Amino acid sequence: MRYIDFHTHTVAKTEKVLRICNCYPSDAVKDLEAFSVGIHPWYIHEDWETQLALLKEKAQGENCYAIGECGLDKLTDTDFELQEVLFRKQVAISEAIQKPLIIHCVKAFQEIYNLKKELQPTQTWVLHGFVKSEQLANQMLSIGCKLSFGNTLLENLKLQRTFAKLNVTDFVLETDTTEVAIEEIYKKAAILQKLGVSSMQQQIEHNCKEIFKR
Ligand SMILES: [Zn+2]
């Protein structure tokens, strides 16, 4: 059975892993087996209308699985109001084309929480690179978000304790920008959840089917 890497910046193909490659609107996507496309809060251009037009075009592609990463980040220089404008626009695209949203969130969980409540999207919102507390995990799960965990799960004991308590349907796994093998993250996740690696693979495949509806 294949591993699914829910969010990665690695494009190289391998038999063993289905990679959802993160792309920016101007990236070439035609050779990718699976990708997401989004405007990251760090990279909002002055001419964001053009970025948005490119995004809309690529999002229609058969191999586009999700919109994102997009989101809110209070530690970046990009104007926060503009970030919210672009985030809302990407939520609207996600809803229009019926593909889920992969979210980058830094110190803006309350805002994401409020937006989810306000907009009531039909598509799943997945918080990628989740490294926060159990309380915050539960708060975001309670409104229907899913969480994606990466390499931090390998070494952060507090995060491991949080992860161990989650329901198996609450999460997916990712490598993001790291060079850690996705197999390592599955192995750790399986140990923490007291499952075998192949059960973890089946569970993640099931979770991804629910999220992607494909
Ligand atoms: Zn990323």
Side-chain angles (χ1 to χ4, degrees):
M1 178 176 273
R2 283 210 291 187
Y3 292 90
I4 300 174
D5 187 343
F6 189 82
H7 175 77
T8 179
H9 295 248
T10 301
V11 295
K13 265 188 197 149
T14 142
E15 286 286 294
K16 281 194 307 185
V17 188
L18 174 66
R19 293 186 164 131
I20 314 298
C21 299
N22 183 79
C23 293
Y24 304 110
S26 57
D27 286 349
V29 297
K30 74 175 188 348
D31 294 327
L32 297 172
E33 185 183 7
F35 67 92
S36 67
V37 59
I39 304 170
H40 192 291
W42 295 355
Y43 307 122
I44 297 173
H45 297 168
E46 218 165 291
D47 181 17
W48 52 262
E49 303 269 5
T50 300
Q51 285 182 295
L52 214 52
L54 281 170
L55 188 161
K56 276 186 192 159
E57 188 186 305
K58 291 192 173 141
Q60 307 283 349
E62 171 66 17
N63 294 353
C64 176
Y65 277 58
I67 301 302
E69 55 187 301
C70 57
L72 300 174
D73 187 327
K74 287 199 179 156
L75 295 185
T76 190
D77 289 338
T78 314
D79 177 72
F80 196 74
E81 273 177 43
L82 180 61
Q83 290 186 41
E84 192 181 317
V85 168
L86 268 292
F87 182 73
R88 284 174 179 272
K89 288 187 183 292
Q90 290 177 91
V91 172
I93 294 170
S94 153
E95 291 298 304
I97 63 165
Q98 302 273 290
K99 291 180 182 176
L101 203 63
I102 300 176
I103 299 176
H104 165 101
C105 178
V106 176
K107 298 197 181 296
F109 286 93
Q110 193 58 52
E111 285 82 357
I112 295 288
Y113 182 94
N114 293 344
L115 282 161
K116 180 91 162 48
K117 286 264 180 185
E118 177 198 325
L119 299 171
Q120 301 280 336
T122 62
Q123 295 302 304
T124 306
W125 287 15
V126 182
L127 294 159
H128 105 85
F130 191 82
V131 293
K132 296 301 190 185
S133 69
E134 185 182 343
Q135 190 196 354
L136 192 57
N138 288 332
Q139 190 190 347
M140 301 314 287
L141 289 166
S142 76
I143 54 164
C145 290
K146 300 286 175 188
L147 309 176
S148 183
F149 292 84
N151 69 310
T152 308
L153 200 58
L154 300 177
E155 65 244 16
N156 184 319
L157 295 177
K158 192 175 167 218
L159 190 66
Q160 291 174 0
R161 281 196 293 274
T162 296
F163 182 84
K165 290 185 200 162
L166 296 178
N167 290 323
V168 285
T169 53
D170 289 342
F171 58 82
V172 288
L173 302 170
E174 65 174 54
T175 57
D176 198 8
T177 55
T178 67
E179 281 170 23
V180 173
I182 192 69
E183 289 90 332
E184 293 304 309
I185 297 170
Y186 271 69
K187 213 186 281 177
K188 180 52 106 181
I191 292 168
L192 293 168
Q193 284 277 329
K194 299 189 167 60
L195 289 174
V197 171
S198 62
S199 305
M200 182 55 74
Q201 285 177 299
Q202 277 170 18
Q203 186 62 50
I204 297 289
E205 186 169 306
H206 170 85
N207 296 351
C208 285
K209 277 205 178 107
E210 293 286 307
I211 292 168
F212 295 128
K213 306 273 189 277
R214 65 199 265 168

